[in-house]
Amino acid sequence: MTECNQDSFEFEELFSRQVVARFDGGTISSDAGGLLLRETDRRIRLLKRLRDCFHDGRNPARVEHGLEQMLAQRIYALALGYEDLNDHDQLREDPLLAVLTGKSDPTGQDRKRQRDKGKPLAGKSTLNRLEHGIATPDRYKKVNYDAEAIDRLLVDLWLEAHAQAPEEVILDLDTTDVALHGHQENRFFHGYYNHYCYLPLYIFSGEQLLCARLRPSNTDAAAGSLKEMQGIVAQMRSAWPEVRIILRADSGFCREELMSWCETHAVDYVFGLARNERLRAGIESEMQAAAGLYAATGKPARVFTEFFYQTHKSWSRSRRVVAKAEQIEGKENPRFVVTSLSPQSWAAAALYEQLYCARGDMENRIKEQFSLFSDRLSTATMRANQFRLYLSSLAYVLLQALRRLGLRGTELAHAQASTLRLKLLKIGAQIRVTVRRVWVAMATSYAHRRLFETVYQQLRC
């Protein structure tokens, strides 16, 4: 049978010109903007410090892929849009990614085995073994991560992002569902989301991530949040003893355990409070007033009030509740929040509209986690999936540092991670490796060259 190897592809003519495509461009990368991520890592030292959160029991004489290099390969690849381990069977030949990960020979010609030459990076099987380390050193699983050390690193990076201690910080807590399609450990069906899923807990301060904790879905939304807050607040106050802390979350976190701890540790809170008949009856006059305003103006009307409230059994004390009595088209829309903040510091309307409602921005932060593939939790064990969640979270931390350090004052200073990837990281370039240099010849027609120059200069400061 005759084999035909086509090396030229002719497309529809452009007027009098033929359009011919060939695979003869040499070593080309679509990710030249990843060099900015490497420069960002130089500033915050994420990967070197992440390496110290692991125990590597491998024999150094037999190691071709260092621990920091493998972590860098995974994190950079996620940031650049490569979601699966399978992608690395092709990426392992990419000299630019090899540069990002710190390989001494980005061509891969220094590999020991002949079959590996030209492939400087780790393949999917090697990276898969990195994910499946267990909590203690093992004969067969020699690379293991320390979850507590990674948790502390996330908070340390957030603390270091501040030039000086702030007077006040607001910590947002929220959860989301990650759908599961296999038979992962601790897989449960969740009635609200109507599928099998995990229920990770996220804690943010503004755009910065402090915690990403994987949890099974057969649990309360607030499960584990007290433990996470205890560690974060202790670490924060060791650096900033006088800082004022406010926790903010929806009604899923309105739990006696968390509120009483806040009250005994000088931490303020503002949590959503689920509506019930007692609460609704307590704002009857305000609801009538809102309905009258709506009838008069034809526009949604709000009336705010506040009172002290205590449940019959679950709360240990009465607490300040702010109520929004709202009438909208066709129905009433009452809402309640419970808070430790005083009326003198936050009046009812301002507390609800300016402080509590601002937590909606956290939805954007969670969406960014999904754009960095935090939902790719398809491995068998909970620990391995927690590791994947960490990798996605650390890719986000790296991109957030790029926003904070390199993009300040630009039109992309608050752009989503997916936008940064599309506009700043995905740059076509020809790669040429010589004895003394790695030449990255980026596309002359790249549309955001001036922005690239600005980011580079600000990162080099």
Side-chain angles (χ1 to χ4, degrees):
M1 181 177 178
T2 303
E3 292 186 6
C4 298
N5 294 322
Q6 185 169 351
D7 57 7
S8 183
F9 304 86
E10 296 184 5
F11 294 91
E12 183 180 358
E13 294 180 352
L14 179 66
F15 299 100
S16 62
R17 291 182 172 88
Q18 291 184 321
V19 177
V20 182
R22 294 177 180 174
F23 288 102
D24 60 356
T27 304
I28 305 291
S29 173
S30 61
D31 302 312
L35 293 168
L36 295 175
L37 291 177
R38 184 170 183 251
E39 195 63 25
T40 302
D41 181 63
R42 182 187 67 82
R43 292 284 300 274
I44 66 174
R45 300 185 303 110
L46 168 63
L47 290 165
K48 292 184 182 300
R49 296 156 75 180
L50 179 61
R51 176 195 59 196
D52 295 337
C53 299
F54 285 75
H55 174 268
D56 189 353
R58 297 176 298 170
N59 181 353
R62 305 184 68 179
V63 170
E64 287 191 276
H65 305 294
L67 179 56
E68 184 180 337
Q69 293 172 339
M70 288 193 292
L71 292 169
Q73 183 177 339
R74 284 289 274 129
I75 290 172
Y76 284 131
L78 289 168
L80 292 168
Y82 302 104
E83 58 188 288
D84 283 324
L85 278 176
N86 291 339
D87 295 328
H88 289 268
D89 267 7
Q90 287 75 44
L91 290 174
R92 65 186 306 204
E93 301 178 11
D94 187 343
L96 181 65
L97 187 56
V99 170
L100 300 184
T101 59
K103 285 290 185 178
S104 58
D105 179 13
T107 68
Q109 296 304 314
D110 62 348
R111 297 294 302 276
K112 295 178 181 179
R113 294 183 297 186
Q114 185 62 37
R115 70 181 187 184
D116 291 330
K117 290 190 180 297
K119 301 174 181 177
L121 296 168
K124 63 181 181 182
S125 298
T126 301
L127 295 173
N128 186 56
R129 288 192 290 273
L130 173 66
E131 292 185 353
H132 284 85
I134 56 178
T136 56
D138 178 83
R139 178 180 180 182
Y140 301 104
K141 299 177 180 179
K142 298 183 178 182
V143 180
N144 309 287
Y145 73 86
D146 181 343
E148 292 184 359
I150 299 177
D151 294 338
R152 290 193 297 271
L153 176 60
L154 286 171
V155 179
D156 281 338
L157 290 165
W158 171 66
L159 294 170
E160 293 164 9
H162 297 78
Q164 58 185 16
E167 294 182 4
E168 177 182 281
V169 295
I170 299 174
L171 303 182
D172 286 304
L173 299 85
D174 206 352
T175 188
T176 189
D177 63 306
V178 174
L180 301 178
H181 306 286
H183 294 277
Q184 292 91 326
E185 183 182 13
N186 290 332
R187 166 184 177 267
F188 294 99
F189 187 85
H190 196 291
Y192 177 80
Y193 296 110
N194 199 33
H195 55 213
Y196 289 90
C197 61
Y198 285 140
L199 206 65
L201 169 69
Y202 285 103
I203 301 175
F204 284 86
S205 176
E207 294 183 354
Q208 295 183 294
L209 177 63
L210 282 76
C211 173
R213 177 69 61 235
L214 191 62
R215 306 173 303 171
S217 62
N218 66 334
T219 188
D220 183 66
S225 57
L226 175 58
K227 179 181 178 182
E228 303 298 340
M229 291 314 310
Q230 288 171 331
I232 290 171
V233 169
Q235 191 173 348
M236 189 189 313
R237 283 191 167 151
S238 67
W240 303 332
E242 304 300 323
V243 69
R244 184 180 182 184
I245 304 169
I246 300 176
L247 304 191
R248 183 169 60 188
D250 64 21
S251 60
F253 293 85
C254 183
R255 301 291 183 265
E256 169 64 25
E257 178 185 52
L258 189 55
M259 291 189 290
S260 61
W261 178 84
C262 289
E263 290 158 353
T264 56
H265 288 81
V267 175
D268 285 307
Y269 59 84
V270 53
F271 296 147
L273 178 59
R275 180 174 52 189
N276 60 43
E277 292 181 1
R278 282 182 60 203
L279 289 169
R280 170 60 183 83
I283 61 167
E284 180 60 35
S285 61
E286 286 78 13
M287 284 304 312
Q288 291 179 4
L293 289 171
Y294 177 80
T297 64
K299 298 179 180 179
R302 291 180 172 184
V303 176
F304 288 92
T305 187
E306 61 179 83
F307 49 88
F308 278 85
Y309 173 82
Q310 183 174 2
T311 63
H312 288 308
K313 295 181 180 180
S314 58
W315 288 10
S316 62
R317 52 176 290 182
S318 65
R319 296 181 168 99
R320 181 190 178 202
V321 170
V322 169
K324 177 195 72 169
E326 183 177 42
Q327 181 69 42
I328 59 178
E329 183 178 359
K331 65 177 182 178
E332 62 180 36
N333 185 39
R335 291 288 186 270
F336 303 89
V337 297
V338 58
T339 183
S340 62
L341 295 165
S342 68
Q344 292 74 30
S345 59
W346 282 95
L351 183 137
Y352 185 88
E353 294 181 323
Q354 298 175 26
L355 180 59
Y356 179 71
C357 288
R359 64 170 294 276
D361 186 57
M362 189 174 177
E363 295 295 330
N364 294 323
R365 307 287 78 76
I366 291 179
K367 288 177 183 177
E368 288 194 275
Q369 308 311 303
F370 283 97
S371 71
L372 292 163
F373 316 112
S374 64
D375 58 336
R376 300 295 292 181
L377 306 182
S378 55
T379 191
T381 67
M382 194 80 170
R383 181 177 173 83
N385 282 318
Q386 174 67 70
F387 179 67
R388 287 190 173 187
L389 189 65
Y390 277 138
L391 291 176
S392 294
S393 300
L394 291 163
Y396 171 82
V397 168
L398 191 61
L399 283 168
Q400 167 55 21
L402 175 62
R403 279 194 296 231
R404 175 172 55 86
L405 298 171
L407 287 161
R408 64 183 185 275
T410 72
E411 66 271 24
L412 296 183
H414 299 286
Q416 293 265 320
S418 55
T419 301
L420 296 182
R421 179 188 297 145
L422 180 64
K423 292 190 174 183
L424 196 60
L425 304 182
K426 290 295 183 181
I427 307 174
Q430 185 183 64
I431 314 300
R432 186 164 56 91
V433 181
T434 66
V435 175
R436 295 182 181 273
R437 287 182 173 84
V438 177
W439 297 93
V440 182
M442 290 184 283
T444 305
S445 59
Y446 171 56
H448 304 286
R449 176 176 176 177
R450 298 304 177 198
L451 176 64
F452 187 97
E453 292 173 355
T454 299
V455 175
Y456 171 80
Q457 291 166 2
Q458 293 191 151
L459 288 174
R460 298 291 289 186
C461 291

